[in-house]
Amino acid sequence: GQSLEQPSEVTAVEGAIVQINCTYQTSGFYGLSWYQQHDGGAPTFLSYNALDGLEETGRFSSFLSRSDSYGYLLLQELQMKDSASYFCAVSSGIDDKIIFGKGTRLHILP
Amino acid sequence: EAGVTQFPSHSVIEKGQTVTLRCDPISGHDNLYWYRRVMGKEIKFLLHFVKESKQDESGMPNNRFLAERTGGTYSTLKVQPAELEDSGVYFCASSGLGGESEQYFGPGTRLTVT
């Protein structure tokens, strides 16, 4: 089977740093993506890792360890607008479908 | 550049009726995907078109669902007859060929079957 595990909810304080972990078990692996979804909105792409290591894009960073089937999304200098659901997602091949985790609901406290 | 668009944004139908959802991908994107999120659950893959061909329809729940992409442009997803468990948000996404890491999602169609 294929599964992605991530925490269902995380709470953090505005201005702080939060890390959302994701472990995956899939029949094939091409890359790990992270998507953000605000209530009622479309999933929007945040980052992508195909190789081990850290990718940084502004306040957001994403890490991948292929040997551990593990990745995380790191959000720094949290802002209230970052309150949303965050999905890790695996693509199993080039141009392939995305398999999503169940999402992590991020609550940010002022 | 226009993004992925979907129509309608909301649809409320009775059990047994038919509904057709439409997706217009980003111009030039050959890959088109349909996903569905049932309330409280993860976003699940339904099917994948490359141009007008069905590349992967392993996620289609049953034969009440029919997807088409005539001419390799827009796509439709028809549910006939609709059942209560079909309620959810249906997302369409598109990407270019060649292993683009990002799929661009539409705003979704919220389907409610009563």
Side-chain angles (χ1 to χ4, degrees), chain A residues 30 33 35 37 40-45 48 85 87 94-103, chain B residues 31 33 35 37 42-43 45 48 56 58 91 96-103 105-107 110:
Chain A
Y30 191 73
S33 302
Y35 283 78
Q37 186 183 27
T44 56
F45 175 83
Y48 176 77
S85 292
F87 295 86
I94 191 167
D95 292 338
D96 208 352
K97 62 182 179 285
I98 293 175
I99 302 165
F100 285 89
K102 293 184 178 181
Chain B
N31 288 305
Y33 309 83
Y35 295 89
R37 187 176 192 195
E42 65 266 43
I43 301 169
F45 167 79
H48 170 205
D56 179 355
S58 61
F91 292 103
L97 284 177
E100 279 189 14
S101 56
E102 179 175 1
Q103 291 185 11
F105 280 76
R110 181 173 295 278

Side-chain angles (χ1 to χ4, degrees), chain A residues 95, chain B residues 25-33 48-55 69 71-75 93-98 100:
Chain A
D95 292 338
Chain B
I26 291 173
S27 178
H29 277 186
D30 289 328
N31 288 305
L32 187 150
Y33 309 83
H48 170 205
F49 284 99
V50 178
K51 298 184 180 179
E52 67 275 10
S53 300
K54 292 177 183 175
Q55 180 75 14
R69 192 184 182 194
T73 54
Y74 71 91
S75 174
S94 73
S95 68
L97 284 177
E100 279 189 14

Side-chain angles (χ1 to χ4, degrees), chain B residues 9-25:
Chain B
S9 57
H10 293 83
S11 180
V12 181
I13 60 172
E14 293 183 353
K15 176 183 173 180
Q17 289 185 322
T18 297
V19 63
T20 300
L21 314 180
R22 172 170 171 144
C23 168
D24 286 78

